[in-house]
Amino acid sequence: ALGLTHRGSVVVVGIGNLGQALAGYGGFASRGFEVAALLDADPAHVGEQVAGMYVRHIDELAEVVRSGDVTIGVIATPAHAAQQVCDQLVAAGVTSILNFAPAVLAVPVGVDVRKVDLSIELQILSFHEHRKSGIPA
């Protein structure tokens, strides 16, 4: 009923510090998600080995999605590149996106986006800490 028995592959786009951390995150595999590819536009990262995989150029995205049964794209790029990467993911057929970039993405109907904003999560925790302290605002 929740769709948890069918899990497609994941592609991570943006292999800076955050992308590298996500590439090595064991939680994907333990939950049944396979990382099909790591992609980046920066020639300094392309060809590099990260978490046992070679980083491919973003130009290979459509072929990776086609051949790897990729259903979920993870964006770990700088904000200025996020929308373009999102558009490329959608054009390649990806319909679910996990966005770590500090940007709001515009997507067509039928594409689901979940935004992970670490600064908001820290603000929420800070609010709870302040509330536990008993100090009035």
Side-chain angles (χ1 to χ4, degrees):
L2 296 176
L4 298 177
T5 57
H6 171 71
R7 298 194 179 116
S9 297
V10 175
V11 63
V12 178
V13 182
I15 308 302
N17 292 334
L18 179 58
Q20 288 183 33
L22 292 169
Y25 175 58
F28 289 140
S30 71
R31 296 275 200 252
F33 295 99
E34 175 195 358
V35 177
L38 308 175
L39 298 125
D40 204 291
D42 184 349
H45 288 300
V46 174
E48 198 173 59
Q49 192 170 12
V50 175
M53 299 178 73
Y54 286 99
V55 177
R56 298 168 71 170
H57 194 275
I58 187 68
D59 289 346
E60 298 179 51
L61 176 63
E63 196 269 316
V64 166
V65 170
R66 235 184 352 269
S67 66
D69 188 30
V70 173
T71 57
I72 300 172
V74 178
I75 298 176
T77 65
H80 71 274
Q83 185 63 57
Q84 181 180 357
V85 167
C86 176
D87 294 344
Q88 288 175 279
L89 286 165
V90 171
V94 172
T95 57
S96 294
I97 296 171
L98 182 60
N99 178 28
F100 283 90
V104 176
L105 301 176
V107 295
V109 173
V111 175
D112 297 307
V113 176
R114 296 289 303 167
K115 181 170 176 30
V116 179
D117 188 327
L118 299 177
S119 62
I120 288 175
E121 298 304 322
L122 287 172
Q123 286 178 324
I124 291 168
L125 288 173
S126 179
F127 167 78
H128 289 294
E129 285 300 311
H130 180 74
R131 195 182 72 204
K132 287 188 282 187
S133 74
I135 300 170

